[in-house]
Structures are given as structure tokens and as C-alpha cells.
Amino acid sequence: MSRKSNPKHPESRANTGPSHTGGGQLRIIAGEWRSRKLPVANVPGLRPTSDRVRETVFNWLTMMTPGARVLDVFSGTGALSMEALSRGASSAVLLEKSPVAATTLKSNLALLRAERARVVECDSLTWLNQPAETGFDLIFLDPPFRMNLLEPACQLLESNGYLNENSLIYIEAEKELNPLPTPEHWQLEKSKTAGQVSFSLWSRIKKQ
């Protein structure tokens, strides 16, 4: 699983192999909507985080997901936040810059009758560059590869109050990005690689 950027909408999640042209389906693995299949927007390079990776991630998050307030910063297909909602998350905000992808997200959430979710069509960094109205418990960070979006997103989450004291942050990034540009007081809890992708879970150490 590799990723190429979408020049027109560089923040759209784009996990793609060389021949992938967008479209297709995502499958929700477990929970209320288990085995539901949903369309993926026909945006070049857009596809969901793989079933195998999502299964691992949500095994990590078993105790955290129920009741969690979720922020999906570069939502793309929405696979991560929809999986979280299916497994009992209390709410989710999905940020997506591509109008086509955002429309499909809204349509899929309507199909699921997911009234606890809200799609915001926006530039993610611009949205984060304002004071938070509330903190989030679980944050998904899966930016397009090689666009230098991860570090500013992490810093804005911290500086503008989007994280709670016990927040967990999931990061999916290109494997060669090592070490990840996370704030000093973020602590690595779990990490794995799958092909060209690294994925990891982080917590926050209370500042002195």
C-alpha cells in the first residue's frame, strides 16, 4: 500500500498502488455496521486503509473506542472514522478537502444513518488553525504522503486545544518518514509496518 498525492486536492487521503484509479468499495469490519460495503469516491488515488491494518488498529483501540469523540483530520474515504462509529464511538468530525470525496462521505454516512457524524469540507490545516470548541478523545492522522502535512497538523492539534489529557492519536505515514515529527511529549504506544506504510498509536505525557 503506497500513496500518491492528488495535485488538485492535496489533502485527500490517497492510499494507492500504481494501477489504482479511485472508486471501488470499503468494508466495515466489525460493530453495528459489520460487513457493510460502501462506495469509495472516484477520486484518483483514493482508497481506504486496508482491512488488515484497520483490524490491527482497532484491536489496539478496543477499550478506547466506545464513547470516544473522534476527529478524522484527513478523512478521505472515512474508513477509520466509520469503523470507530460502528464500534461505538459517540461522535465523529470528518475533515475533507475534495468536494467529490466529501460528497461521498456525506452520502455514505446517510446510508448508515450515522447521525453522530459530521463532514466538514475544508482545508484541514486551516480548520485546525482556530481554537477548538471541544477536545477529542481519538484522532486519526493519515495525511497524503510526502506533502509535509503531518508535522503542522500535530502542532495545531496541540496548540489549539483539540486534544484531551488522555487523547490517543493514530498516525499513518510513509515508512521512510522516521522518526515521525510528533511533539516531544507524545509517547509511542504501538507501531507496525505494512508494505511502504508505517502506522502507530500515540498518547500524551502530561507536561510538567
Side-chain angles (χ1 to χ4, degrees):
M1 183 169 62
S2 61
R3 178 178 304 195
K4 66 183 180 182
S5 63
N6 180 341
K8 186 175 180 181
H9 300 291
E11 288 188 6
S12 298
R13 176 177 296 151
N15 297 334
T16 179
S19 62
H20 196 81
T21 56
Q25 290 185 321
L26 68 87
R27 180 179 70 90
I28 296 176
I29 298 168
E32 178 184 355
W33 304 318
R34 180 178 181 178
S35 299
R36 287 288 298 270
K37 293 182 179 179
L38 299 166
V40 171
N42 191 17
V43 175
L46 193 68
R47 83 169 205 196
T49 299
S50 73
D51 286 10
R52 181 161 63 95
V53 170
R54 272 185 289 140
E55 188 165 15
T56 299
V57 171
F58 283 94
N59 284 340
W60 293 347
L61 295 170
T62 297
M63 301 301 293
M64 179 66 177
T65 304
R69 288 170 292 181
V70 173
L71 176 62
D72 196 345
V73 178
F74 304 96
S75 58
T77 67
L80 291 167
S81 44
M82 290 182 197
E83 190 74 44
L85 288 164
S86 181
R87 295 172 186 243
S90 66
S91 63
V93 175
L94 294 79
L95 309 182
E96 175 53 45
K97 188 172 184 179
S98 164
V100 175
T103 296
T104 301
L105 285 171
K106 292 173 184 177
S107 175
N108 284 343
L109 290 167
L111 285 172
L112 296 171
R113 298 180 180 177
E115 298 177 356
R116 310 185 308 276
R118 176 168 65 101
V119 177
V120 182
E121 186 181 325
C122 65
D123 177 280
S124 298
L125 297 185
T126 300
W127 193 87
L128 292 175
N129 194 27
Q130 57 187 335
E133 294 180 2
T134 185
F136 293 88
D137 307 306
L138 181 55
I139 294 87
F140 295 122
L141 281 175
D142 182 9
F145 284 5
R146 303 174 186 90
M147 298 293 292
N148 300 316
L149 295 170
L150 181 58
E151 184 170 13
C154 291
Q155 297 300 332
L156 290 170
L157 285 166
E158 275 290 343
S159 61
N160 287 327
Y162 288 94
L163 303 179
N164 297 325
E165 183 177 331
N166 298 315
S167 293
L168 290 177
I169 306 100
Y170 168 76
I171 296 177
E172 194 168 321
E174 59 270 36
K175 187 167 66 174
E176 67 267 23
L177 187 60
N178 186 24
L180 294 177
T182 56
E184 288 185 4
H185 62 289
W186 286 18
Q187 177 173 286
L188 180 64
E189 299 290 340
K190 306 273 189 179
S191 67
K192 279 196 169 186
T193 60
Q196 299 304 307
V197 174
S198 72
F199 55 104
S200 52
L201 189 65
W202 300 73
S203 64
R204 302 166 76 226
I205 302 171
K206 194 169 183 178
K207 292 182 179 179
Q208 300 297 322

